[in-house]
Amino acid sequence: MQQFEVTLLNGLALAGLYFLVASGFALIFGVMRVVNMAHGSIFLLGGYLGWSVQSSTGNWALAVLTAGAAMAAAGVVIQQALLRKHQGQDLTEALITIALSIIVADLLIASYGGVSYQLNPPAWLAKSVRIPGTSITYSAYSLALAGGAVVVGLLLWALLERTHFGIVLRAGIDDRQMVSTLGINVQRIFVVVFAIGAGLAGVAGVLGGTLLSLVPGIDSTYLVAALAVVIVGGLGSLAGSALGALVVGLFTEFGLGYFPQYAESLTFAAIAAVLILRPAGLLGRLR
């Protein structure tokens, strides 16, 4: 029972991290129809930048803010300088972002080497707490990460459902040409969406580097995880991304905990089962 409880909490923490990565990916993919293959590299770059900031200042919160702001700015540059001219050209956009991810990965190896880095959580989270109703203690940081993902999800929901920008954004998901016809500056929306998506990836890089570690190649792991979350949850659905992250995170951790030799197979078997039963994803809509 204790193993089950710990594995469940690990799955929730991992699901929270996956949601933070995938929510930005889902915004970019859902609105702009850009499969940003550099999203994992933005995650890793944000993590390394956060590690550098914390190493210099000792301030974890400053590392989070710096990584988020820097990656948001990088997202604007990527969208305006590299992708805007090729809007709607899916293959070209994919090739550009793949090339960018390779370049970023090589630059990070040249700058940081091939060793593993890990950020230290703030002192008030660097401890274990007793879980009410159980006999186990668990990492306060992991619990805070899961709770933080819920807060971010609620803020994104409020942005999408309770603001004028959210109304325009949701309309753009359904019919981008009609939004342009109404005189709305779609390019400005694209810039903001890309900035939010890249910023979330940068923040997730610091949070993931604190929960686990930062190593070369992990960017592809998180890119695949983001794709899996979006596919399972459904394109253009924030709630779907949350549910997809929960499915992928829990299956990953329970697979590692009980069937380590088949963990990856079980995760993708669950994804395949969802797509067979719900081709548009759990909360997606068939078009």
Side-chain angles (χ1 to χ4, degrees), residues 234-254:
L235 179 62
S237 172
L238 181 63
S241 294
L243 187 56
L246 194 61
V247 170
V248 176
L250 289 176
F251 266 90
T252 298
E253 285 299 327
F254 274 98

Side-chain angles (χ1 to χ4, degrees), residues 1 5 130-136:
M1 187 61 186
E5 292 169 346
R130 175 79 63 176
I131 305 298
T134 71
S135 60
I136 64 172

Side-chain angles (χ1 to χ4, degrees), residues 115-134:
V115 299
S116 173
Y117 295 91
Q118 186 164 17
L119 290 92
N120 298 315
W124 60 281
L125 289 177
K127 60 183 180 180
S128 296
V129 296
R130 175 79 63 176
I131 305 298
T134 71

Side-chain angles (χ1 to χ4, degrees), residues 135-158:
S135 60
I136 64 172
T137 58
Y138 195 70
S139 165
Y141 174 76
S142 296
L143 294 174
L145 175 58
V150 173
V151 172
V152 171
L154 291 175
L155 290 175
L156 288 175
W157 174 84

Side-chain angles (χ1 to χ4, degrees), residues 43-44 48 109 113-117 213-221:
F43 166 92
L44 188 58
Y48 276 125
I109 291 177
V115 299
S116 173
Y117 295 91
S213 61
L214 299 168
V215 293
I218 201 173
D219 50 337
S220 60
T221 300

Side-chain angles (χ1 to χ4, degrees), residues 26-53:
L27 283 175
I28 295 172
F29 189 19
V31 176
M32 303 173 63
R33 299 298 187 267
V34 174
V35 183
N36 181 17
M37 303 303 289
H39 198 73
S41 296
I42 294 174
F43 166 92
L44 188 58
L45 178 58
Y48 276 125
L49 178 60
W51 179 85
S52 297
V53 171

Side-chain angles (χ1 to χ4, degrees), residues 21-108:
V21 180
S23 57
F25 184 86
L27 283 175
I28 295 172
F29 189 19
V31 176
M32 303 173 63
R33 299 298 187 267
V34 174
V35 183
N36 181 17
M37 303 303 289
H39 198 73
S41 296
I42 294 174
F43 166 92
L44 188 58
L45 178 58
Y48 276 125
L49 178 60
W51 179 85
S52 297
V53 171
Q54 189 183 48
S55 297
S56 301
T57 66
N59 192 319
W60 182 84
L62 181 61
V64 174
L65 294 175
T66 302
M71 293 306 99
V76 173
V77 173
I78 292 170
Q79 198 277 326
Q80 289 291 293
L82 300 178
L83 298 178
R84 182 173 180 176
K85 296 180 181 178
H86 305 285
Q87 186 176 313
Q89 303 175 30
D90 298 341
L91 181 58
T92 302
E93 290 172 339
L95 289 174
I96 289 173
T97 52
I98 289 173
L100 181 62
S101 69
I102 294 172
I103 293 171
V104 170
D106 286 346
L107 289 175
L108 289 177

